[in-house]
Amino acid sequence: MNFKTFCFAALALLSVVNNAPLTNNTSSVDDLKKACKYGNSELHVKMNEDDAIYACVHKYNENKHNNIARPDNSVCFYLDNDVYCVDRRYTNIKECDKSSKNFDYRTCSYDILSLTNDGSERYTYRFRSYPDKERISVDAVQDQKECKARNGIVLTYNVMYQYICLYPETSSHSLKDKHCVGVDGKVYCVYEDNTIITTCNKHSKQYNHDNCMNILSEYSKANGVTVNEEKF
Protein backbone atom coordinates (compact mmCIF):
# COMPACT_ATOMS: atom_id res chain seq x y z
CA MET A 1 0.00 0.00 0.00
CA ASN A 2 1.52 3.36 -1.04
CA PHE A 3 1.34 6.48 1.11
CA LYS A 4 -1.52 8.06 -0.85
CA THR A 5 -3.64 4.92 -0.64
CA PHE A 6 -2.82 4.60 3.07
CA CYS A 7 -4.02 8.18 3.71
CA PHE A 8 -7.33 7.62 1.89
CA ALA A 9 -7.89 4.37 3.81
CA ALA A 10 -7.15 6.03 7.12
CA LEU A 11 -9.48 8.96 6.35
CA ALA A 12 -12.23 6.55 5.32
CA LEU A 13 -11.94 4.64 8.58
CA LEU A 14 -11.88 7.87 10.58
CA SER A 15 -15.08 9.00 8.86
CA VAL A 16 -16.81 5.69 9.60
CA VAL A 17 -15.80 5.74 13.26
CA ASN A 18 -16.68 9.39 13.85
CA ASN A 19 -20.10 9.09 12.19
CA ALA A 20 -21.14 5.88 13.91
CA PRO A 21 -21.30 5.80 17.72
CA LEU A 22 -19.83 2.68 19.24
CA THR A 23 -22.46 0.19 20.32
CA ASN A 24 -22.20 -3.27 21.75
CA ASN A 25 -21.52 -5.05 18.46
CA THR A 26 -18.47 -6.61 16.86
CA SER A 27 -18.40 -4.49 13.69
CA SER A 28 -18.29 -1.18 15.56
CA VAL A 29 -15.48 -2.39 17.80
CA ASP A 30 -13.54 -3.78 14.85
CA ASP A 31 -13.81 -0.51 12.91
CA LEU A 32 -12.56 1.41 15.90
CA LYS A 33 -9.68 -1.00 16.47
CA LYS A 34 -8.62 -0.69 12.83
CA ALA A 35 -8.71 3.12 12.95
CA CYS A 36 -6.72 3.16 16.18
CA LYS A 37 -4.19 0.66 14.84
CA TYR A 38 -3.34 2.91 11.88
CA GLY A 39 -1.61 5.21 14.37
CA ASN A 40 0.53 2.40 15.81
CA SER A 41 -1.75 2.34 18.83
CA GLU A 42 -3.89 -0.10 20.77
CA LEU A 43 -7.57 0.20 21.56
CA HIS A 44 -8.79 -0.64 25.06
CA VAL A 45 -12.53 -1.21 25.41
CA LYS A 46 -14.88 -1.92 28.28
CA MET A 47 -18.34 -2.95 27.06
CA ASN A 48 -21.49 -2.15 29.01
CA GLU A 49 -25.05 -3.25 28.29
CA ASP A 50 -25.93 -0.29 26.06
CA ASP A 51 -22.64 1.37 25.22
CA ALA A 52 -18.91 1.22 25.82
CA ILE A 53 -15.96 3.11 27.24
CA TYR A 54 -12.90 3.09 25.04
CA ALA A 55 -9.51 4.70 24.61
CA CYS A 56 -6.87 4.52 21.92
CA VAL A 57 -3.44 4.45 23.56
CA HIS A 58 -0.38 5.33 21.49
CA LYS A 59 3.18 4.37 22.41
CA TYR A 60 5.11 7.61 22.10
CA ASN A 61 8.63 7.66 20.65
CA GLU A 62 10.39 11.01 20.92
CA ASN A 63 12.80 9.99 18.16
CA LYS A 64 9.97 9.71 15.63
CA HIS A 65 8.34 12.69 13.95
CA ASN A 66 5.02 11.03 13.14
CA ASN A 67 3.65 10.56 16.64
CA ILE A 68 -0.07 11.25 16.33
CA ALA A 69 -0.54 11.48 20.09
CA ARG A 70 2.27 13.20 21.95
CA PRO A 71 2.79 15.14 25.22
CA ASP A 72 2.09 18.56 23.69
CA ASN A 73 -1.39 17.61 22.43
CA SER A 74 -2.45 14.58 24.47
CA VAL A 75 -2.72 13.11 27.94
CA CYS A 76 0.31 10.92 28.56
CA PHE A 77 1.47 8.39 31.15
CA TYR A 78 4.41 6.23 31.98
CA LEU A 79 4.23 2.46 31.94
CA ASP A 80 7.60 1.48 33.33
CA ASN A 81 9.98 3.76 31.36
CA ASP A 82 7.85 3.98 28.22
CA VAL A 83 5.55 6.92 27.51
CA TYR A 84 2.00 6.27 26.27
CA CYS A 85 -0.37 8.98 25.07
CA VAL A 86 -4.13 8.95 24.52
CA ASP A 87 -5.29 9.53 20.94
CA ARG A 88 -8.41 11.60 21.58
CA ARG A 89 -9.84 10.89 18.09
CA TYR A 90 -10.72 7.34 19.13
CA THR A 91 -11.34 7.93 22.81
CA ASN A 92 -14.73 8.74 24.35
CA ILE A 93 -13.53 9.64 27.85
CA LYS A 94 -14.12 13.38 27.92
CA GLU A 95 -11.77 13.87 30.87
CA CYS A 96 -8.93 12.64 28.63
CA ASP A 97 -9.37 15.39 26.04
CA LYS A 98 -6.92 18.21 26.81
CA SER A 99 -8.89 20.61 24.61
CA SER A 100 -12.12 20.00 26.52
CA LYS A 101 -13.44 21.98 29.48
CA ASN A 102 -14.08 18.58 31.11
CA PHE A 103 -10.40 17.65 31.01
CA ASP A 104 -9.24 16.17 34.31
CA TYR A 105 -5.91 14.39 34.44
CA ARG A 106 -6.63 12.47 37.64
CA THR A 107 -10.01 11.15 36.47
CA CYS A 108 -8.55 10.29 33.08
CA SER A 109 -5.70 8.46 34.79
CA TYR A 110 -8.02 6.24 36.79
CA ASP A 111 -10.16 5.51 33.74
CA ILE A 112 -7.18 4.54 31.58
CA LEU A 113 -5.75 2.41 34.37
CA SER A 114 -9.12 0.68 34.73
CA LEU A 115 -9.30 0.00 30.98
CA THR A 116 -5.77 -1.39 30.74
CA ASN A 117 -5.95 -3.45 33.92
CA ASP A 118 -6.47 -7.13 33.16
CA GLY A 119 -7.48 -7.93 36.74
CA SER A 120 -4.01 -8.89 37.94
CA GLU A 121 -3.20 -5.39 39.24
CA ARG A 122 0.18 -5.72 37.48
CA TYR A 123 -0.14 -2.23 35.98
CA THR A 124 -1.01 -0.48 39.24
CA TYR A 125 2.57 0.18 40.39
CA ARG A 126 4.05 0.47 36.89
CA PHE A 127 1.52 3.08 35.77
CA ARG A 128 2.81 6.60 36.55
CA SER A 129 1.92 10.20 35.76
CA TYR A 130 3.74 12.10 33.03
CA PRO A 131 6.14 13.86 33.39
CA ASP A 132 6.45 13.56 37.20
CA LYS A 133 6.36 9.75 37.43
CA GLU A 134 4.07 9.82 40.45
CA ARG A 135 1.72 7.03 41.53
CA ILE A 136 -1.75 7.04 40.01
CA SER A 137 -3.34 4.44 42.24
CA VAL A 138 -2.60 4.08 45.95
CA ASP A 139 -3.39 1.15 48.23
CA ALA A 140 -1.83 1.69 51.66
CA VAL A 141 -2.63 -1.79 52.98
CA GLN A 142 -1.22 -3.54 49.91
CA ASP A 143 1.86 -1.31 49.82
CA GLN A 144 2.79 -2.07 53.41
CA LYS A 145 2.03 -5.76 53.06
CA GLU A 146 4.31 -6.03 50.01
CA CYS A 147 7.05 -4.04 51.73
CA LYS A 148 7.15 -6.38 54.71
CA ALA A 149 6.92 -9.48 52.49
CA ARG A 150 10.15 -8.40 50.80
CA ASN A 151 11.99 -7.91 54.09
CA GLY A 152 11.41 -4.18 53.96
CA ILE A 153 10.86 -1.77 56.83
CA VAL A 154 7.57 0.15 56.93
CA LEU A 155 7.71 3.53 58.64
CA THR A 156 4.28 5.00 59.38
CA TYR A 157 3.43 8.27 61.08
CA ASN A 158 0.20 9.06 62.97
CA VAL A 159 -2.02 7.33 60.40
CA MET A 160 -1.44 4.33 58.14
CA TYR A 161 -1.80 6.50 55.02
CA GLN A 162 1.47 8.30 55.74
CA TYR A 163 4.21 5.78 55.14
CA ILE A 164 7.63 5.05 53.70
CA CYS A 165 9.00 1.68 52.66
CA LEU A 166 12.72 0.99 53.07
CA TYR A 167 14.19 -1.98 51.20
CA PRO A 168 17.56 -3.56 51.96
CA GLU A 169 19.87 -2.76 49.04
CA THR A 170 23.04 -4.39 47.76
CA SER A 171 23.18 -2.91 44.26
CA SER A 172 25.43 0.11 43.75
CA HIS A 173 23.09 1.23 40.94
CA SER A 174 20.21 1.63 43.41
CA LEU A 175 22.33 3.91 45.58
CA LYS A 176 22.49 6.43 42.75
CA ASP A 177 18.84 6.65 41.77
CA LYS A 178 17.20 6.10 45.17
CA HIS A 179 17.31 7.88 48.52
CA CYS A 180 19.32 5.54 50.75
CA VAL A 181 20.15 5.52 54.47
CA GLY A 182 21.83 3.31 57.03
CA VAL A 183 19.77 1.14 59.40
CA ASP A 184 21.61 -1.00 61.96
CA GLY A 185 24.76 -1.01 59.87
CA LYS A 186 22.94 -2.05 56.68
CA VAL A 187 21.97 -0.03 53.61
CA TYR A 188 18.26 0.57 53.04
CA CYS A 189 16.73 2.61 50.23
CA VAL A 190 13.32 4.19 49.79
CA TYR A 191 11.27 1.94 47.52
CA GLU A 192 9.03 4.32 45.58
CA ASP A 193 6.46 1.74 44.48
CA ASN A 194 5.47 1.10 48.10
CA THR A 195 5.98 4.64 49.41
CA ILE A 196 3.42 7.46 49.52
CA ILE A 197 5.82 10.29 50.45
CA THR A 198 6.97 11.87 47.16
CA THR A 199 9.53 14.04 48.97
CA CYS A 200 11.70 10.92 49.21
CA ASN A 201 11.19 9.86 45.60
CA LYS A 202 14.25 10.85 43.58
CA HIS A 203 12.25 10.64 40.36
CA SER A 204 9.67 13.16 41.55
CA LYS A 205 9.76 16.95 41.22
CA GLN A 206 8.88 17.06 44.92
CA TYR A 207 12.08 15.26 45.91
CA ASN A 208 14.21 17.13 48.41
CA HIS A 209 17.13 15.46 50.16
CA ASP A 210 17.06 17.50 53.38
CA ASN A 211 13.28 17.38 53.73
CA CYS A 212 13.34 13.63 53.14
CA MET A 213 15.95 13.15 55.87
CA ASN A 214 13.83 15.19 58.30
CA ILE A 215 10.78 13.07 57.49
CA LEU A 216 12.76 9.84 57.84
CA SER A 217 14.08 11.04 61.19
CA GLU A 218 10.56 11.72 62.51
CA TYR A 219 9.08 8.53 61.08
CA SER A 220 11.91 6.33 62.32
CA LYS A 221 11.61 7.70 65.87
CA ALA A 222 7.87 7.01 65.84
CA ASN A 223 8.60 3.39 64.85
CA GLY A 224 11.57 2.75 67.14
CA VAL A 225 14.05 2.56 64.26
CA THR A 226 17.39 4.39 64.06
CA VAL A 227 18.13 5.87 60.63
CA ASN A 228 21.54 7.32 59.82
CA GLU A 229 22.53 9.40 56.85
CA GLU A 230 25.44 7.75 55.12
CA LYS A 231 27.73 8.96 52.35
CA PHE A 232 27.20 6.32 49.72
Side-chain angles (χ1 to χ4, degrees), residues 38-55:
Y38 268 113
N40 191 28
S41 309
E42 182 179 355
L43 184 74
H44 296 274
V45 182
K46 180 176 289 186
M47 305 299 295
N48 301 316
E49 289 185 5
D50 301 319
D51 58 5
I53 300 172
Y54 56 90

Side-chain angles (χ1 to χ4, degrees), residues 49-68:
E49 289 185 5
D50 301 319
D51 58 5
I53 300 172
Y54 56 90
C56 181
V57 182
H58 172 77
K59 187 175 182 180
Y60 172 71
N61 186 337
E62 62 179 5
N63 296 319
K64 291 185 177 181
H65 300 291
N66 61 341
N67 290 285
I68 295 173

Side-chain angles (χ1 to χ4, degrees), residues 119-228:
S120 66
E121 303 297 332
R122 62 194 176 107
Y123 289 129
T124 302
Y125 297 118
R126 297 162 56 201
F127 196 69
R128 300 292 182 122
S129 66
Y130 180 90
D132 297 336
K133 278 194 171 182
E134 294 181 356
R135 289 275 298 278
I136 299 296
S137 179
V138 176
D139 186 330
V141 175
Q142 185 66 19
D143 277 345
Q144 294 175 39
K145 181 179 179 180
E146 288 188 0
C147 183
K148 293 176 181 177
R150 297 174 181 174
N151 297 318
I153 299 173
V154 176
L155 301 177
T156 57
Y157 192 78
N158 291 333
V159 294
M160 69 175 296
Y161 295 100
Q162 291 181 312
Y163 57 92
I164 296 172
C165 175
L166 297 177
Y167 269 17
E169 288 288 349
T170 56
S171 170
S172 58
H173 176 72
S174 296
L175 303 182
K176 296 178 181 179
D177 62 8
K178 297 182 183 296
H179 188 103
C180 301
V181 293
V183 179
D184 296 330
K186 298 180 181 179
V187 179
Y188 283 78
C189 299
V190 174
Y191 188 66
E192 294 92 345
D193 282 354
N194 296 137
T195 295
I196 194 63
I197 307 299
T198 56
T199 306
C200 292
N201 181 351
K202 273 194 172 182
H203 299 290
S204 170
K205 287 184 177 180
Q206 279 71 48
Y207 174 72
N208 182 283
H209 178 274
D210 293 338
N211 288 345
C212 178
M213 286 308 304
N214 289 334
I215 291 173
L216 283 170
S217 177
E218 289 297 318
Y219 279 39
S220 61
K221 289 178 182 177
N223 291 268
V225 177
T226 301
V227 170
N228 301 309

